[in-house]
Amino acid sequence: DADARIALGALLVRLARTDGSYDAEEIAQIDAVLMDRYGLVDFEAADLRAQCETAETEAPDTVRFTRAIKDAVPYDDRIGVIEALWSVVLADGVRDKNEDALLRMIAPLLGVTDQDSHKARQRVEARS
């Protein structure tokens, strides 16, 4: 679903920008998530990310994005979305309190429990 793609990418961008730094590691991780989830090649992922950056800038709230994902994505796949979000938070090697706070807000909006979000973070940390 195109709306869910843009919503996920915009959430990834919003999360990466939350600490006031949108750096190369985070951008590369966003592109990697988009390539992996949607079977894109690098330039397609960069194109989609650019659309998501625009959507993120124009959207007044996060709920619009989480609703689009929750409506289009089954629960088990939403846990994968949380893993993708954690992968961006951890991409620069720093767990910023603002990124943590935003992710703690996003998880329940996606209908994902705190326990499942915690387990998702642990899986991402184990892969790093």
Side-chain angles (χ1 to χ4, degrees):
D1 181 76
D3 289 342
R5 280 184 181 205
I6 296 292
L8 173 59
L11 274 181
L12 294 168
V13 170
R14 180 158 290 175
L15 191 59
R17 289 178 172 168
T18 297
D19 64 357
S21 171
Y22 185 51
D23 59 32
E25 291 91 357
E26 292 168 324
I27 291 168
Q29 184 59 36
I30 291 168
D31 287 357
V33 167
L34 296 174
M35 286 188 288
D36 183 55
R37 287 191 71 83
Y38 302 120
L40 305 175
V41 295
D42 56 357
F43 73 90
E44 293 170 324
D47 240 17
L48 178 56
R49 178 182 32 83
Q51 294 172 49
C52 296
E53 289 167 345
T54 300
E56 188 278 330
T57 301
E58 294 173 352
D61 64 18
T62 302
V63 174
R64 168 182 310 180
F65 302 135
T66 57
R67 186 176 300 126
I69 294 168
K70 189 175 179 184
D71 289 349
V73 178
Y75 184 80
D76 288 341
D77 291 336
R78 282 183 266 144
I79 293 171
V81 167
I82 295 295
E83 285 185 23
L85 292 165
W86 274 116
S87 75
V88 170
V89 166
L90 300 171
D92 60 5
V94 179
R95 267 188 71 187
D96 179 79
K97 66 179 180 170
N98 295 317
E99 291 172 330
D100 275 356
L102 181 57
L103 196 42
R104 281 194 307 274
M105 181 190 83
I106 289 170
L109 290 172
L110 290 174
V112 175
T113 66
D114 287 340
Q115 184 179 20
D116 283 342
S117 179
H118 177 73
K119 288 177 184 175
R121 179 183 51 81
Q122 289 177 325
R123 285 190 296 274
V124 171
E125 287 174 333
R127 288 193 298 259
S128 299

